[in-house]
């Protein structure tokens, strides 16, 4: 593959942001897991208007990321596994997918966004 044309390289700060968000999410999930019980607290959360909106917002974002993953991945079983990971682990899985896509694309923005559909 040829190198990315001028202006299409992915910024390095995007890697730092994805890694930072991963660390914050992993820490938050660990903290919540040791200090709360999702099964007990989830009904109370979604009973509150803003709690409900927060959950809808989370899953709306995950649907959008899943659509990008399904469109970007060349093999449907891989896309399906990532979609399951997204809906099981939330944006923690989004961070992992994003970091892997950045690594795979070697900084080329077209490869990052389009995956196997990128035209060299």
């Amino acid at each position: 593959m040829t190198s990315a044309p001028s202006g299409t390289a992915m910024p390095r700060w995007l890697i730092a942001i994805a890694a930072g968000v991963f660390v914050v999410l992993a820490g938050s999930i660990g903290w919540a897991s040791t200090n709360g019980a999702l099964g007990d607290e989830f009904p109370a959360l979604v009973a509150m208007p803003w709690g409900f909106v927060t959950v809808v917002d989370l899953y709306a974002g995950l649907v959008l990321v899943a659509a990008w993953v399904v469109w970007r991945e060349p093999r449907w079983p891989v896309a399906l596994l990532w979609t399951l990971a997204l809906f099981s682990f939330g944006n923690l899985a989004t961070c992992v997918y994003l970091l892997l896509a950045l690594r795979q694309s070697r900084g080329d923005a077209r490869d990052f966004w389009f995956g196997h559909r990128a035209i060299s």
Side-chain angles (χ1 to χ4, degrees), residues 14-47:
L14 186 55
I15 296 168
I17 288 173
V21 169
F22 177 86
V23 169
V24 169
L25 280 173
S28 297
I29 291 168
W31 172 80
S33 296
T34 58
N35 291 293
L38 180 62
D40 295 337
E41 296 170 3
F42 189 76
L45 176 67
V46 296

Side-chain angles (χ1 to χ4, degrees), residues 32-84:
S33 296
T34 58
N35 291 293
L38 180 62
D40 295 337
E41 296 170 3
F42 189 76
L45 176 67
V46 296
M48 295 181 285
W50 281 107
F52 178 79
V53 169
T54 300
V55 172
V56 170
D57 180 62
L58 168 67
Y59 281 96
L62 293 173
V63 166
L64 294 172
V65 173
W68 173 56
V69 168
V70 167
W71 183 78
R72 187 181 180 280
E73 284 296 325
R75 296 177 312 270
W76 70 266
V78 172
L80 178 63
L81 288 174
W82 275 111
T83 300
L84 292 173

